[in-house]
């Protein structure tokens, strides 16, 4: 009767200090029946699914985003059509994930527009070392406070402090990097005569090229550089329409990164040969005699003063 059971605990055991929600008694807790996945599965860390600050909707939405393939839609409109929750709750959950580093939105500049892309981070504390280009709402911007690594897999990552984006500067110096010098344009042919009227005609021709193709909009320095090359064509007896046709025909369909360089190449590579030497100048034109009356038939004719009869009268007199 007085024998004590040594296997019975003397009192109720308290929860561990590092995780108050987890008890040492496992008899009435959850039991897992796990099967090994070989296809269509994703690995998600406990720091997300057991996060203490995220809501249940944010945790579930974060798991869903990490399971999506690259390129799948992850905007509010697509998620609202996929789940029964409304756009307001889904937007709030996305903001939670973004605030804790599990979501990042980047803006990329493409041809003529800016595209927003959503990036899902499965380990925010490692993604914090990455320096994104032109991000919006990303917790790992340049200049943010360093993120302390968690001690265990169950402890959530520390929330980094957001700092304003600074201008691109050299690390440790505070000096902005100097812009790269622009490559000089190719040389163009030079005319033998630099008359202002000829150069002005060449400049006007270059200015009107944009009417043929809007991509051939030239700056003032580029026009001044190309004008002598066009003048070299014009002084070789090439018509302005022929010069314009040579510069604007068979242009590539791709966007022209530097149209002035293309025009300089064409002015040099397609330069026509000089015109042939002109024929020798003809002699002085014959003198123009005054009109006088024939003494034989009284008909008017032109002849020197020594002649007093017309051609017909002279022929008739010689025949007799």
């Amino acid at each position: 009767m007085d024998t004590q059971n040594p296997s019975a605990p003397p009192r109720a055991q308290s929860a561990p200090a590092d995780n108050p929600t987890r008890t040492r008694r496992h008899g009435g807790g959850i039991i897992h029946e796990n099967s090994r996945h070989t296809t269509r599965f994703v690995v998600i860390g406990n720091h997300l699914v057991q996060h203490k600050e995220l809501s249940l909707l944010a945790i579930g939405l974060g798991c869903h985003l990490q399971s999506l393939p690259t390129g799948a839609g992850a905007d509010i409109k697509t998620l609202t059509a996929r789940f029964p929750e409304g756009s307001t709750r889904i937007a709030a959950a996305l903001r939670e994930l973004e605030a804790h580093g599990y979501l990042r939105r980047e803006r990329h500049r493409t041809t003529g527009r800016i595209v927003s892309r959503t990036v899902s981070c499965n380990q925010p504390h490692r993604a914090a070392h990455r320096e994104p280009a032109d991000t919006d709402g990303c917790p790992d911007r340049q200049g943010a406070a360093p993120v302390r690594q968690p001690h265990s897999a169950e402890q959530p990552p520390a929330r980094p402090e957001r700092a304003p984006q600074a201008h691109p500067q050299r690390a440790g110096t505070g000096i902005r990097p100097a812009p790269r010098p622009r490559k000089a344009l190719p040389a163009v042919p030079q005319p033998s005569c630099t008359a202002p009227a000829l150069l002005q005609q060449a400049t006007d021709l270059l200015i009107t090229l944009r009417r043929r193709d809007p991509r051939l909009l030239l700056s003032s320095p580029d026009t001044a550089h190309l004008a002598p090359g066009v003048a070299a064509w014009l002084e070789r007896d090439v018509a302005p329409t022929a010069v314009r046709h040579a510069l604007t025909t068979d242009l590539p369909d791709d966007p022209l990164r530097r149209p002035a360089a293309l025009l300089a190449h064409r002015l040099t590579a397609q330069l026509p040969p000089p015109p042939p030497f002109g024929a020798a100048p003809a002699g002085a034109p014959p003198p123009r005699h005054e009109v006088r009356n024939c003494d034989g038939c009284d008909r008017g004719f032109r002849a020197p003063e020594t002649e007093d009869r017309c051609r017909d009268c002279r022929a008739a007199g010689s025949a007799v």
Side-chain angles (χ1 to χ4, degrees):
M1 297 289 296
D2 57 347
T3 302
Q4 296 183 357
N5 188 359
S7 62
R11 58 183 177 85
Q13 299 181 2
S14 60
D18 57 347
N19 190 358
T21 60
R22 182 179 178 183
T23 62
R24 293 190 176 92
R25 299 183 61 182
H26 304 283
I30 186 172
I31 299 177
H32 297 278
E33 291 184 1
N34 297 330
S35 300
R36 183 179 179 82
H37 293 280
T38 57
T39 58
R40 297 181 59 84
F41 69 96
V42 62
V43 178
I44 301 177
N46 287 337
H47 54 82
L48 172 60
V49 295
Q50 297 180 9
H51 205 286
K52 297 180 182 180
E53 298 181 9
L54 291 175
S55 63
L56 182 60
L57 178 60
I59 294 176
L61 187 56
C63 296
H64 173 73
L65 293 178
Q66 293 190 18
S67 66
L68 293 177
T70 302
D75 56 311
I76 297 178
K77 184 177 180 181
T78 303
L79 297 174
T80 304
R82 170 64 175 82
F83 297 103
E85 287 76 9
S87 60
T88 303
R89 297 185 60 190
I90 291 179
L94 291 176
R95 288 193 295 268
E96 289 186 53
L97 295 174
E98 188 175 357
H100 288 81
Y102 291 98
L103 194 66
R104 185 173 66 250
R105 298 177 184 178
E106 298 180 350
R107 291 181 298 177
H108 296 267
R109 187 181 299 276
T110 60
T111 305
R113 60 174 184 171
I114 297 179
V115 179
S116 298
R117 297 178 181 175
T118 303
V119 181
S120 176
C121 306
N122 63 343
Q123 295 189 23
H125 59 280
R126 292 190 178 181
H129 298 284
R130 180 178 178 268
E131 296 182 359
D134 191 14
T135 59
D136 182 14
C138 178
D140 52 342
R141 290 187 176 183
Q142 183 180 359
V147 180
R148 186 175 56 184
Q149 298 289 344
H151 297 286
S152 62
E154 298 179 356
Q155 184 176 356
R159 180 176 178 178
E161 297 180 1
R162 298 177 60 181
Q165 180 71 20
H167 295 286
Q169 299 179 351
R170 293 183 180 178
T173 60
I175 303 176
R176 299 185 62 181
R180 297 180 57 183
R182 194 175 185 183
K183 187 177 180 180
L185 291 174
V188 295
Q190 299 297 320
S192 59
C193 176
T194 58
L198 182 62
L199 294 177
Q200 184 61 39
Q201 184 182 6
T203 302
D204 296 341
L205 189 148
L206 291 170
I207 294 175
T208 57
L209 293 180
R210 58 189 176 186
R211 300 177 182 176
R212 293 289 189 90
D213 195 327
R215 297 177 298 175
L216 298 179
L217 179 61
L218 304 174
S219 62
S220 297
D222 293 343
T223 304
H225 179 82
L226 298 175
V230 177
W233 282 55
L234 295 177
E235 72 173 2
R236 299 191 177 204
D237 291 343
V238 182
T241 55
V243 179
R244 189 179 295 107
H245 182 269
L247 296 179
T248 59
T249 304
D250 297 334
L251 292 177
D253 297 333
D254 300 335
L256 300 180
R257 298 183 56 184
R258 202 175 184 189
L262 175 61
L263 297 180
H265 171 75
R266 289 195 172 190
L267 289 174
T268 305
Q270 302 180 15
L271 180 66
F277 291 101
R288 188 177 181 84
H289 302 286
E290 297 182 357
V291 179
R292 64 183 65 247
N293 293 335
C294 178
D295 293 343
C297 62
D298 199 24
R299 183 173 59 180
F301 71 100
R302 293 182 181 275
E305 296 180 357
T306 58
E307 299 289 341
D308 55 358
R309 292 179 180 272
C310 64
R311 182 179 55 185
D312 295 341
C313 293
R314 291 196 304 269
S318 62
V320 173

